[in-house]
Amino acid sequence: MELKNKLIAITGAAQGLGFAMAKSFAEVGANLALIDMQEEAIEQAAEAIKKLGVTARGYAVNVTDESAVESTFNQITADFGQLNGLINSAGIMRDGMLLKVKEGKIVDKMSKQQFQSVLDVNVTGTFLCAREAAAKMIETGSEGVIINLSSVSRGGNMGQTNYSASKSAVATMTVTWAKELARFKIRTGCIAPGLVNTAMAAQMRPEMREKFLQSVPAGRLAEVDELGHAARFIFENDYFTGRTLELDGGTRV
Ligand SMILES: NC(=O)c1ccc[n+]([C@@H]2O[C@H](COP(=O)([O-])OP(=O)(O)OC[C@H]3O[C@@H](n4cnc5c(N)ncnc54)[C@H](O)[C@@H]3O)[C@@H](O)[C@H]2O)c1
């Protein structure tokens, strides 16, 4: 898909990878619908993107809220008259061990809330936005692309029961949607980064971060621009669908 003058919606676009991907798409002339629950920050992000010479609007919405997501996608197509792509970048991490054991005694458990909150944003939010975006693409007869953000953690990472489960779920939904939506000329793709240089990575304890880096053959974190480049590749290559692109510096075993 040629990105110039296309309309791409990006969730989690107020900062981090979502914002970096928005910049990367604006640089090749795509217009952007930027979605995030941070009201002020998403307006600022839209202003910054507009300075790159494209049209951009911010939409303040919690991606776990079904009716808010529905009305947001109605509003996006009312505002722009088209929708050609969605990148599901909104995501959270709430790490913890399944059980904490000291001297043979259980001292803590991952709470249901800690587990569920991550599934709600990373899986349900991705599902709701993809469902509404696909509906709009079909209704407006637009070819389209949907990208989900997985992670190297999808293989099962210590301290990340919730996050790993969510990131393997989005990789699987990518495959399902490729099969279901191909007849509407909608492709899907998933990106599974290792650790990227963003606020999310900064939440990691320094010793964990150091340990993680030792397992990265590339010897460094990914830069946000490299994620933008990967997302553009998925959009621009019409034979790419249903697969996860592993952008992890060789980390995965
Ligand atoms: N940064 C990394 O190293 C890394 C690695 C692998 C995968 N990922 C994935 O990439 C995606 C983006 O990560 P990031 O580093 O940019 O994170 P980030 O924390 O910097 O940004 C996430 C954005 O999502 C928004 N958001 C969170 N919950 C939301 C909700 N319920 N509704 C609407 N918006 C919401 C936040 O406000 C924030 O702007 C996430 O899905 C993450 O799991 C990140």
Side-chain angles (χ1 to χ4, degrees), residues 1-10 25 29-34 55-57 59 73 75-77 79-87 137 142-145 235:
M1 180 193 288
E2 152 97 46
L3 279 161
K4 196 169 168 53
N5 296 325
K6 294 293 193 315
L7 192 265
I8 312 300
I10 303 183
F25 279 61
N31 298 315
L32 290 145
L34 305 176
T55 308
R57 273 178 191 254
Y59 299 86
F73 280 89
Q75 192 59 51
I76 289 171
T77 39
D79 291 341
F80 289 91
Q82 65 183 123
L83 180 63
N84 309 98
L86 166 71
I87 303 179
M137 290 169 192
S142 314
E143 60 169 334
V145 178
F235 269 82

PDB file of all heavy atoms in Angstrom, residues 1-10 25 29-34 55-57 59 73 75-77 79-87 137 142-145 235:
ATOM      1  N   MET A   1       0.844  -1.197   0.000  1.00  0.00           N
ATOM      2  CA  MET A   1       0.000   0.000   0.000  1.00  0.00           C
ATOM      3  C   MET A   1       0.879   1.247   0.000  1.00  0.00           C
ATOM      4  O   MET A   1       1.814   1.355   0.796  1.00  0.00           O
ATOM      5  CB  MET A   1      -0.897  -0.001   1.258  1.00  0.00           C
ATOM      6  CG  MET A   1      -1.803   1.211   1.330  1.00  0.00           C
ATOM      7  SD  MET A   1      -2.572   1.433   2.957  1.00  0.00           S
ATOM      8  CE  MET A   1      -3.748   0.113   2.983  1.00  0.00           C
ATOM      9  N   GLU A   2       0.561   2.127  -0.869  1.00  0.00           N
ATOM     10  CA  GLU A   2       1.249   3.439  -0.909  1.00  0.00           C
ATOM     11  C   GLU A   2       0.676   4.269   0.248  1.00  0.00           C
ATOM     12  O   GLU A   2      -0.554   4.373   0.394  1.00  0.00           O
ATOM     13  CB  GLU A   2       0.956   4.056  -2.271  1.00  0.00           C
ATOM     14  CG  GLU A   2       0.967   5.538  -2.353  1.00  0.00           C
ATOM     15  CD  GLU A   2       2.290   6.067  -2.861  1.00  0.00           C
ATOM     16  OE1 GLU A   2       2.792   5.508  -3.851  1.00  0.00           O
ATOM     17  OE2 GLU A   2       2.798   7.031  -2.255  1.00  0.00           O
ATOM     18  N   LEU A   3       1.518   4.851   1.093  1.00  0.00           N
ATOM     19  CA  LEU A   3       1.010   5.508   2.307  1.00  0.00           C
ATOM     20  C   LEU A   3       0.588   6.968   2.114  1.00  0.00           C
ATOM     21  O   LEU A   3      -0.190   7.498   2.919  1.00  0.00           O
ATOM     22  CB  LEU A   3       2.062   5.415   3.408  1.00  0.00           C
ATOM     23  CG  LEU A   3       2.048   4.058   4.128  1.00  0.00           C
ATOM     24  CD1 LEU A   3       3.350   3.822   4.863  1.00  0.00           C
ATOM     25  CD2 LEU A   3       0.871   3.965   5.085  1.00  0.00           C
ATOM     26  N   LYS A   4       1.062   7.582   1.060  1.00  0.00           N
ATOM     27  CA  LYS A   4       0.758   9.003   0.848  1.00  0.00           C
ATOM     28  C   LYS A   4      -0.759   9.225   0.763  1.00  0.00           C
ATOM     29  O   LYS A   4      -1.461   8.503   0.053  1.00  0.00           O
ATOM     30  CB  LYS A   4       1.434   9.481  -0.444  1.00  0.00           C
ATOM     31  CG  LYS A   4       1.493  10.987  -0.548  1.00  0.00           C
ATOM     32  CD  LYS A   4       2.397  11.400  -1.711  1.00  0.00           C
ATOM     33  CE  LYS A   4       2.274  12.857  -2.030  1.00  0.00           C
ATOM     34  NZ  LYS A   4       2.454  13.765  -0.920  1.00  0.00           N
ATOM     35  N   ASN A   5      -1.246  10.195   1.536  1.00  0.00           N
ATOM     36  CA  ASN A   5      -2.674  10.568   1.578  1.00  0.00           C
ATOM     37  C   ASN A   5      -3.606   9.488   2.131  1.00  0.00           C
ATOM     38  O   ASN A   5      -4.823   9.613   2.026  1.00  0.00           O
ATOM     39  CB  ASN A   5      -3.181  11.012   0.199  1.00  0.00           C
ATOM     40  CG  ASN A   5      -2.478  12.272  -0.252  1.00  0.00           C
ATOM     41  OD1 ASN A   5      -2.164  13.125   0.573  1.00  0.00           O
ATOM     42  ND2 ASN A   5      -2.184  12.372  -1.535  1.00  0.00           N
ATOM     43  N   LYS A   6      -3.053   8.435   2.703  1.00  0.00           N
ATOM     44  CA  LYS A   6      -3.899   7.437   3.353  1.00  0.00           C
ATOM     45  C   LYS A   6      -4.182   7.904   4.790  1.00  0.00           C
ATOM     46  O   LYS A   6      -3.464   8.748   5.328  1.00  0.00           O
ATOM     47  CB  LYS A   6      -3.197   6.067   3.387  1.00  0.00           C
ATOM     48  CG  LYS A   6      -2.994   5.465   2.002  1.00  0.00           C
ATOM     49  CD  LYS A   6      -4.305   5.094   1.355  1.00  0.00           C
ATOM     50  CE  LYS A   6      -4.197   4.226   0.131  1.00  0.00           C
ATOM     51  NZ  LYS A   6      -3.218   4.567  -0.849  1.00  0.00           N
ATOM     52  N   LEU A   7      -5.232   7.336   5.393  1.00  0.00           N
ATOM     53  CA  LEU A   7      -5.538   7.696   6.778  1.00  0.00           C
ATOM     54  C   LEU A   7      -5.242   6.506   7.688  1.00  0.00           C
ATOM     55  O   LEU A   7      -5.845   5.436   7.527  1.00  0.00           O
ATOM     56  CB  LEU A   7      -7.004   8.114   6.883  1.00  0.00           C
ATOM     57  CG  LEU A   7      -7.477   8.792   8.169  1.00  0.00           C
ATOM     58  CD1 LEU A   7      -8.094   7.865   9.159  1.00  0.00           C
ATOM     59  CD2 LEU A   7      -6.401   9.652   8.847  1.00  0.00           C
ATOM     60  N   ILE A   8      -4.329   6.718   8.586  1.00  0.00           N
ATOM     61  CA  ILE A   8      -3.906   5.641   9.490  1.00  0.00           C
ATOM     62  C   ILE A   8      -4.259   6.036  10.930  1.00  0.00           C
ATOM     63  O   ILE A   8      -3.917   7.135  11.375  1.00  0.00           O
ATOM     64  CB  ILE A   8      -2.369   5.398   9.404  1.00  0.00           C
ATOM     65  CG1 ILE A   8      -1.879   5.304   7.947  1.00  0.00           C
ATOM     66  CG2 ILE A   8      -1.964   4.162  10.207  1.00  0.00           C
ATOM     67  CD1 ILE A   8      -2.487   4.215   7.110  1.00  0.00           C
ATOM     68  N   ALA A   9      -4.954   5.150  11.637  1.00  0.00           N
ATOM     69  CA  ALA A   9      -5.250   5.366  13.058  1.00  0.00           C
ATOM     70  C   ALA A   9      -4.192   4.633  13.886  1.00  0.00           C
ATOM     71  O   ALA A   9      -3.830   3.501  13.562  1.00  0.00           O
ATOM     72  CB  ALA A   9      -6.644   4.833  13.382  1.00  0.00           C
ATOM     73  N   ILE A  10      -3.721   5.305  14.919  1.00  0.00           N
ATOM     74  CA  ILE A  10      -2.719   4.670  15.794  1.00  0.00           C
ATOM     75  C   ILE A  10      -3.159   4.837  17.240  1.00  0.00           C
ATOM     76  O   ILE A  10      -3.432   5.959  17.690  1.00  0.00           O
ATOM     77  CB  ILE A  10      -1.311   5.303  15.598  1.00  0.00           C
ATOM     78  CG1 ILE A  10      -0.887   5.203  14.120  1.00  0.00           C
ATOM     79  CG2 ILE A  10      -0.288   4.624  16.503  1.00  0.00           C
ATOM     80  CD1 ILE A  10       0.520   5.732  13.831  1.00  0.00           C
ATOM     81  N   PHE A  25       5.101   7.634   9.731  1.00  0.00           N
ATOM     82  CA  PHE A  25       4.074   7.584   8.678  1.00  0.00           C
ATOM     83  C   PHE A  25       3.806   8.980   8.108  1.00  0.00           C
ATOM     84  O   PHE A  25       3.567   9.129   6.916  1.00  0.00           O
ATOM     85  CB  PHE A  25       2.787   6.944   9.223  1.00  0.00           C
ATOM     86  CG  PHE A  25       2.853   5.437   9.230  1.00  0.00           C
ATOM     87  CD1 PHE A  25       3.810   4.771   9.971  1.00  0.00           C
ATOM     88  CD2 PHE A  25       1.976   4.677   8.481  1.00  0.00           C
ATOM     89  CE1 PHE A  25       3.907   3.382   9.968  1.00  0.00           C
ATOM     90  CE2 PHE A  25       2.062   3.290   8.467  1.00  0.00           C
ATOM     91  CZ  PHE A  25       3.023   2.643   9.217  1.00  0.00           C
ATOM     92  N   GLY A  29       3.841  11.073   4.166  1.00  0.00           N
ATOM     93  CA  GLY A  29       2.624  11.718   3.659  1.00  0.00           C
ATOM     94  C   GLY A  29       1.304  11.108   4.087  1.00  0.00           C
ATOM     95  O   GLY A  29       0.257  11.461   3.547  1.00  0.00           O
ATOM     96  N   ALA A  30       1.323  10.206   5.099  1.00  0.00           N
ATOM     97  CA  ALA A  30       0.050   9.654   5.588  1.00  0.00           C
ATOM     98  C   ALA A  30      -0.593  10.645   6.561  1.00  0.00           C
ATOM     99  O   ALA A  30       0.106  11.326   7.321  1.00  0.00           O
ATOM    100  CB  ALA A  30       0.287   8.323   6.293  1.00  0.00           C
ATOM    101  N   ASN A  31      -1.920  10.722   6.531  1.00  0.00           N
ATOM    102  CA  ASN A  31      -2.649  11.504   7.539  1.00  0.00           C
ATOM    103  C   ASN A  31      -2.959  10.593   8.722  1.00  0.00           C
ATOM    104  O   ASN A  31      -3.059   9.378   8.569  1.00  0.00           O
ATOM    105  CB  ASN A  31      -3.932  12.060   6.918  1.00  0.00           C
ATOM    106  CG  ASN A  31      -3.609  13.001   5.779  1.00  0.00           C
ATOM    107  OD1 ASN A  31      -2.716  13.845   5.908  1.00  0.00           O
ATOM    108  ND2 ASN A  31      -4.300  12.853   4.661  1.00  0.00           N
ATOM    109  N   LEU A  32      -3.122  11.205   9.903  1.00  0.00           N
ATOM    110  CA  LEU A  32      -3.159  10.361  11.097  1.00  0.00           C
ATOM    111  C   LEU A  32      -4.291  10.686  12.065  1.00  0.00           C
ATOM    112  O   LEU A  32      -4.538  11.852  12.378  1.00  0.00           O
ATOM    113  CB  LEU A  32      -1.817  10.474  11.823  1.00  0.00           C
ATOM    114  CG  LEU A  32      -0.715   9.790  11.000  1.00  0.00           C
ATOM    115  CD1 LEU A  32       0.594  10.500  11.114  1.00  0.00           C
ATOM    116  CD2 LEU A  32      -0.596   8.325  11.402  1.00  0.00           C
ATOM    117  N   ALA A  33      -4.964   9.629  12.536  1.00  0.00           N
ATOM    118  CA  ALA A  33      -5.925   9.725  13.631  1.00  0.00           C
ATOM    119  C   ALA A  33      -5.223   9.138  14.850  1.00  0.00           C
ATOM    120  O   ALA A  33      -4.938   7.932  14.889  1.00  0.00           O
ATOM    121  CB  ALA A  33      -7.186   8.929  13.294  1.00  0.00           C
ATOM    122  N   LEU A  34      -4.928   9.983  15.818  1.00  0.00           N
ATOM    123  CA  LEU A  34      -4.114   9.555  16.958  1.00  0.00           C
ATOM    124  C   LEU A  34      -5.002   9.315  18.178  1.00  0.00           C
ATOM    125  O   LEU A  34      -5.734  10.213  18.610  1.00  0.00           O
ATOM    126  CB  LEU A  34      -3.069  10.632  17.264  1.00  0.00           C
ATOM    127  CG  LEU A  34      -2.179  11.021  16.070  1.00  0.00           C
ATOM    128  CD1 LEU A  34      -1.237  12.159  16.445  1.00  0.00           C
ATOM    129  CD2 LEU A  34      -1.384   9.824  15.579  1.00  0.00           C
ATOM    130  N   THR A  55      -2.329  16.056   7.778  1.00  0.00           N
ATOM    131  CA  THR A  55      -3.475  16.307   8.650  1.00  0.00           C
ATOM    132  C   THR A  55      -3.446  15.287   9.790  1.00  0.00           C
ATOM    133  O   THR A  55      -3.232  14.093   9.549  1.00  0.00           O
ATOM    134  CB  THR A  55      -4.792  16.129   7.858  1.00  0.00           C
ATOM    135  OG1 THR A  55      -4.689  16.923   6.683  1.00  0.00           O
ATOM    136  CG2 THR A  55      -5.989  16.554   8.668  1.00  0.00           C
ATOM    137  N   ALA A  56      -3.662  15.759  11.009  1.00  0.00           N
ATOM    138  CA  ALA A  56      -3.693  14.848  12.160  1.00  0.00           C
ATOM    139  C   ALA A  56      -4.715  15.348  13.162  1.00  0.00           C
ATOM    140  O   ALA A  56      -4.905  16.553  13.324  1.00  0.00           O
ATOM    141  CB  ALA A  56      -2.314  14.780  12.806  1.00  0.00           C
ATOM    142  N   ARG A  57      -5.393  14.401  13.809  1.00  0.00           N
ATOM    143  CA  ARG A  57      -6.334  14.751  14.878  1.00  0.00           C
ATOM    144  C   ARG A  57      -6.122  13.806  16.056  1.00  0.00           C
ATOM    145  O   ARG A  57      -5.837  12.625  15.844  1.00  0.00           O
ATOM    146  CB  ARG A  57      -7.774  14.539  14.408  1.00  0.00           C
ATOM    147  CG  ARG A  57      -8.365  15.719  13.691  1.00  0.00           C
ATOM    148  CD  ARG A  57      -9.761  15.332  13.246  1.00  0.00           C
ATOM    149  NE  ARG A  57     -10.294  16.310  12.335  1.00  0.00           N
ATOM    150  CZ  ARG A  57     -11.243  17.192  12.647  1.00  0.00           C
ATOM    151  NH1 ARG A  57     -11.778  17.190  13.842  1.00  0.00           N
ATOM    152  NH2 ARG A  57     -11.676  18.053  11.750  1.00  0.00           N
ATOM    153  N   TYR A  59      -7.700  11.852  19.415  1.00  0.00           N
ATOM    154  CA  TYR A  59      -8.959  11.311  19.961  1.00  0.00           C
ATOM    155  C   TYR A  59      -8.645  10.736  21.335  1.00  0.00           C
ATOM    156  O   TYR A  59      -7.865   9.786  21.446  1.00  0.00           O
ATOM    157  CB  TYR A  59      -9.528  10.217  19.044  1.00  0.00           C
ATOM    158  CG  TYR A  59      -9.840  10.729  17.659  1.00  0.00           C
ATOM    159  CD1 TYR A  59      -8.851  10.771  16.677  1.00  0.00           C
ATOM    160  CD2 TYR A  59     -11.117  11.198  17.336  1.00  0.00           C
ATOM    161  CE1 TYR A  59      -9.118  11.276  15.411  1.00  0.00           C
ATOM    162  CE2 TYR A  59     -11.390  11.701  16.074  1.00  0.00           C
ATOM    163  CZ  TYR A  59     -10.393  11.736  15.117  1.00  0.00           C
ATOM    164  OH  TYR A  59     -10.661  12.234  13.870  1.00  0.00           O
ATOM    165  N   PHE A  73     -14.307   5.492  16.254  1.00  0.00           N
ATOM    166  CA  PHE A  73     -14.094   5.115  14.841  1.00  0.00           C
ATOM    167  C   PHE A  73     -15.187   5.716  13.941  1.00  0.00           C
ATOM    168  O   PHE A  73     -14.904   6.073  12.796  1.00  0.00           O
ATOM    169  CB  PHE A  73     -13.925   3.596  14.689  1.00  0.00           C
ATOM    170  CG  PHE A  73     -12.528   3.170  15.054  1.00  0.00           C
ATOM    171  CD1 PHE A  73     -12.197   2.836  16.359  1.00  0.00           C
ATOM    172  CD2 PHE A  73     -11.511   3.179  14.100  1.00  0.00           C
ATOM    173  CE1 PHE A  73     -10.886   2.502  16.711  1.00  0.00           C
ATOM    174  CE2 PHE A  73     -10.201   2.847  14.436  1.00  0.00           C
ATOM    175  CZ  PHE A  73      -9.886   2.502  15.745  1.00  0.00           C
ATOM    176  N   GLN A  75     -16.411   8.657  14.519  1.00  0.00           N
ATOM    177  CA  GLN A  75     -15.951  10.039  14.400  1.00  0.00           C
ATOM    178  C   GLN A  75     -14.780  10.163  13.417  1.00  0.00           C
ATOM    179  O   GLN A  75     -14.724  11.093  12.605  1.00  0.00           O
ATOM    180  CB  GLN A  75     -15.539  10.541  15.801  1.00  0.00           C
ATOM    181  CG  GLN A  75     -15.313  12.024  15.898  1.00  0.00           C
ATOM    182  CD  GLN A  75     -16.557  12.835  15.510  1.00  0.00           C
ATOM    183  OE1 GLN A  75     -17.640  12.577  16.021  1.00  0.00           O
ATOM    184  NE2 GLN A  75     -16.407  13.783  14.590  1.00  0.00           N
ATOM    185  N   ILE A  76     -13.868   9.192  13.483  1.00  0.00           N
ATOM    186  CA  ILE A  76     -12.688   9.244  12.585  1.00  0.00           C
ATOM    187  C   ILE A  76     -13.148   9.207  11.123  1.00  0.00           C
ATOM    188  O   ILE A  76     -12.680   9.996  10.297  1.00  0.00           O
ATOM    189  CB  ILE A  76     -11.715   8.071  12.892  1.00  0.00           C
ATOM    190  CG1 ILE A  76     -11.028   8.304  14.249  1.00  0.00           C
ATOM    191  CG2 ILE A  76     -10.678   7.907  11.773  1.00  0.00           C
ATOM    192  CD1 ILE A  76     -10.214   7.135  14.765  1.00  0.00           C
ATOM    193  N   THR A  77     -14.095   8.312  10.805  1.00  0.00           N
ATOM    194  CA  THR A  77     -14.510   8.247   9.396  1.00  0.00           C
ATOM    195  C   THR A  77     -15.363   9.466   9.030  1.00  0.00           C
ATOM    196  O   THR A  77     -15.334   9.911   7.890  1.00  0.00           O
ATOM    197  CB  THR A  77     -15.235   6.928   9.039  1.00  0.00           C
ATOM    198  OG1 THR A  77     -16.083   6.564  10.103  1.00  0.00           O
ATOM    199  CG2 THR A  77     -14.269   5.807   8.769  1.00  0.00           C
ATOM    200  N   ASP A  79     -14.740  12.448  10.228  1.00  0.00           N
ATOM    201  CA  ASP A  79     -13.753  13.524  10.074  1.00  0.00           C
ATOM    202  C   ASP A  79     -12.938  13.402   8.785  1.00  0.00           C
ATOM    203  O   ASP A  79     -12.622  14.394   8.144  1.00  0.00           O
ATOM    204  CB  ASP A  79     -12.773  13.536  11.263  1.00  0.00           C
ATOM    205  CG  ASP A  79     -13.450  13.979  12.557  1.00  0.00           C
ATOM    206  OD1 ASP A  79     -14.526  14.603  12.482  1.00  0.00           O
ATOM    207  OD2 ASP A  79     -12.898  13.695  13.640  1.00  0.00           O
ATOM    208  N   PHE A  80     -12.551  12.172   8.444  1.00  0.00           N
ATOM    209  CA  PHE A  80     -11.596  11.998   7.336  1.00  0.00           C
ATOM    210  C   PHE A  80     -12.219  11.351   6.096  1.00  0.00           C
ATOM    211  O   PHE A  80     -11.617  11.357   5.031  1.00  0.00           O
ATOM    212  CB  PHE A  80     -10.406  11.134   7.781  1.00  0.00           C
ATOM    213  CG  PHE A  80      -9.470  11.802   8.758  1.00  0.00           C
ATOM    214  CD1 PHE A  80      -9.665  11.686  10.136  1.00  0.00           C
ATOM    215  CD2 PHE A  80      -8.379  12.531   8.307  1.00  0.00           C
ATOM    216  CE1 PHE A  80      -8.790  12.280  11.037  1.00  0.00           C
ATOM    217  CE2 PHE A  80      -7.501  13.131   9.200  1.00  0.00           C
ATOM    218  CZ  PHE A  80      -7.703  13.007  10.570  1.00  0.00           C
ATOM    219  N   GLY A  81     -13.388  10.696   6.257  1.00  0.00           N
ATOM    220  CA  GLY A  81     -14.046  10.068   5.103  1.00  0.00           C
ATOM    221  C   GLY A  81     -13.394   8.789   4.620  1.00  0.00           C
ATOM    222  O   GLY A  81     -13.796   8.223   3.612  1.00  0.00           O
ATOM    223  N   GLN A  82     -12.387   8.310   5.325  1.00  0.00           N
ATOM    224  CA  GLN A  82     -11.709   7.074   4.919  1.00  0.00           C
ATOM    225  C   GLN A  82     -10.952   6.508   6.128  1.00  0.00           C
ATOM    226  O   GLN A  82     -10.740   7.203   7.119  1.00  0.00           O
ATOM    227  CB  GLN A  82     -10.719   7.342   3.779  1.00  0.00           C
ATOM    228  CG  GLN A  82      -9.574   8.235   4.209  1.00  0.00           C
ATOM    229  CD  GLN A  82      -8.589   8.595   3.092  1.00  0.00           C
ATOM    230  OE1 GLN A  82      -8.376   9.762   2.839  1.00  0.00           O
ATOM    231  NE2 GLN A  82      -7.987   7.612   2.456  1.00  0.00           N
ATOM    232  N   LEU A  83     -10.570   5.248   6.020  1.00  0.00           N
ATOM    233  CA  LEU A  83      -9.673   4.647   7.010  1.00  0.00           C
ATOM    234  C   LEU A  83      -8.924   3.514   6.308  1.00  0.00           C
ATOM    235  O   LEU A  83      -9.525   2.583   5.797  1.00  0.00           O
ATOM    236  CB  LEU A  83     -10.444   4.085   8.227  1.00  0.00           C
ATOM    237  CG  LEU A  83      -9.555   3.445   9.302  1.00  0.00           C
ATOM    238  CD1 LEU A  83      -8.605   4.468   9.932  1.00  0.00           C
ATOM    239  CD2 LEU A  83     -10.402   2.796  10.410  1.00  0.00           C
ATOM    240  N   ASN A  84      -7.610   3.627   6.285  1.00  0.00           N
ATOM    241  CA  ASN A  84      -6.815   2.643   5.544  1.00  0.00           C
ATOM    242  C   ASN A  84      -5.896   1.814   6.426  1.00  0.00           C
ATOM    243  O   ASN A  84      -5.248   0.884   5.925  1.00  0.00           O
ATOM    244  CB  ASN A  84      -5.950   3.360   4.495  1.00  0.00           C
ATOM    245  CG  ASN A  84      -6.784   4.293   3.644  1.00  0.00           C
ATOM    246  OD1 ASN A  84      -6.828   5.502   3.891  1.00  0.00           O
ATOM    247  ND2 ASN A  84      -7.492   3.743   2.675  1.00  0.00           N
ATOM    248  N   GLY A  85      -5.828   2.169   7.697  1.00  0.00           N
ATOM    249  CA  GLY A  85      -4.912   1.390   8.522  1.00  0.00           C
ATOM    250  C   GLY A  85      -5.120   1.652   9.996  1.00  0.00           C
ATOM    251  O   GLY A  85      -5.671   2.686  10.397  1.00  0.00           O
ATOM    252  N   LEU A  86      -4.706   0.678  10.785  1.00  0.00           N
ATOM    253  CA  LEU A  86      -4.742   0.803  12.248  1.00  0.00           C
ATOM    254  C   LEU A  86      -3.467   0.184  12.801  1.00  0.00           C
ATOM    255  O   LEU A  86      -3.082  -0.918  12.384  1.00  0.00           O
ATOM    256  CB  LEU A  86      -5.949   0.041  12.818  1.00  0.00           C
ATOM    257  CG  LEU A  86      -5.911  -0.193  14.338  1.00  0.00           C
ATOM    258  CD1 LEU A  86      -6.133   1.128  15.091  1.00  0.00           C
ATOM    259  CD2 LEU A  86      -6.959  -1.215  14.767  1.00  0.00           C
ATOM    260  N   ILE A  87      -2.848   0.883  13.726  1.00  0.00           N
ATOM    261  CA  ILE A  87      -1.755   0.279  14.492  1.00  0.00           C
ATOM    262  C   ILE A  87      -2.174   0.269  15.955  1.00  0.00           C
ATOM    263  O   ILE A  87      -2.443   1.318  16.549  1.00  0.00           O
ATOM    264  CB  ILE A  87      -0.429   1.043  14.327  1.00  0.00           C
ATOM    265  CG1 ILE A  87      -0.048   1.125  12.841  1.00  0.00           C
ATOM    266  CG2 ILE A  87       0.677   0.356  15.119  1.00  0.00           C
ATOM    267  CD1 ILE A  87       1.248   1.886  12.576  1.00  0.00           C
ATOM    268  N   MET A 137     -13.330  -0.003   7.387  1.00  0.00           N
ATOM    269  CA  MET A 137     -12.666  -0.268   6.097  1.00  0.00           C
ATOM    270  C   MET A 137     -13.634  -0.974   5.154  1.00  0.00           C
ATOM    271  O   MET A 137     -13.711  -0.652   3.970  1.00  0.00           O
ATOM    272  CB  MET A 137     -11.421  -1.145   6.311  1.00  0.00           C
ATOM    273  CG  MET A 137     -10.284  -0.438   7.015  1.00  0.00           C
ATOM    274  SD  MET A 137      -9.015  -1.636   7.502  1.00  0.00           S
ATOM    275  CE  MET A 137      -8.020  -0.631   8.597  1.00  0.00           C
ATOM    276  N   SER A 142     -12.511   0.468   1.625  1.00  0.00           N
ATOM    277  CA  SER A 142     -11.079   0.798   1.553  1.00  0.00           C
ATOM    278  C   SER A 142     -10.240  -0.452   1.775  1.00  0.00           C
ATOM    279  O   SER A 142     -10.541  -1.237   2.676  1.00  0.00           O
ATOM    280  CB  SER A 142     -10.688   1.781   2.659  1.00  0.00           C
ATOM    281  OG  SER A 142     -11.601   2.829   2.755  1.00  0.00           O
ATOM    282  N   GLU A 143      -9.173  -0.598   0.989  1.00  0.00           N
ATOM    283  CA  GLU A 143      -8.205  -1.630   1.348  1.00  0.00           C
ATOM    284  C   GLU A 143      -7.536  -1.163   2.637  1.00  0.00           C
ATOM    285  O   GLU A 143      -7.464   0.051   2.881  1.00  0.00           O
ATOM    286  CB  GLU A 143      -7.174  -1.842   0.235  1.00  0.00           C
ATOM    287  CG  GLU A 143      -6.369  -0.619  -0.088  1.00  0.00           C
ATOM    288  CD  GLU A 143      -5.170  -0.898  -0.993  1.00  0.00           C
ATOM    289  OE1 GLU A 143      -4.662  -2.028  -1.001  1.00  0.00           O
ATOM    290  OE2 GLU A 143      -4.745   0.042  -1.663  1.00  0.00           O
ATOM    291  N   GLY A 144      -7.076  -2.110   3.444  1.00  0.00           N
ATOM    292  CA  GLY A 144      -6.513  -1.672   4.719  1.00  0.00           C
ATOM    293  C   GLY A 144      -5.503  -2.640   5.307  1.00  0.00           C
ATOM    294  O   GLY A 144      -5.338  -3.771   4.835  1.00  0.00           O
ATOM    295  N   VAL A 145      -4.824  -2.142   6.332  1.00  0.00           N
ATOM    296  CA  VAL A 145      -3.824  -2.952   7.044  1.00  0.00           C
ATOM    297  C   VAL A 145      -4.021  -2.735   8.548  1.00  0.00           C
ATOM    298  O   VAL A 145      -4.240  -1.603   8.984  1.00  0.00           O
ATOM    299  CB  VAL A 145      -2.381  -2.540   6.652  1.00  0.00           C
ATOM    300  CG1 VAL A 145      -1.358  -3.357   7.426  1.00  0.00           C
ATOM    301  CG2 VAL A 145      -2.142  -2.691   5.159  1.00  0.00           C
ATOM    302  N   PHE A 235       3.027  -2.180   5.923  1.00  0.00           N
ATOM    303  CA  PHE A 235       2.033  -1.477   5.101  1.00  0.00           C
ATOM    304  C   PHE A 235       2.393  -1.538   3.621  1.00  0.00           C
ATOM    305  O   PHE A 235       1.536  -1.740   2.761  1.00  0.00           O
ATOM    306  CB  PHE A 235       1.913  -0.001   5.532  1.00  0.00           C
ATOM    307  CG  PHE A 235       0.858   0.215   6.571  1.00  0.00           C
ATOM    308  CD1 PHE A 235       1.118  -0.029   7.903  1.00  0.00           C
ATOM    309  CD2 PHE A 235      -0.413   0.634   6.220  1.00  0.00           C
ATOM    310  CE1 PHE A 235       0.150   0.154   8.877  1.00  0.00           C
ATOM    311  CE2 PHE A 235      -1.398   0.822   7.181  1.00  0.00           C
ATOM    312  CZ  PHE A 235      -1.118   0.578   8.512  1.00  0.00           C
TER     313      PHE A 235
END
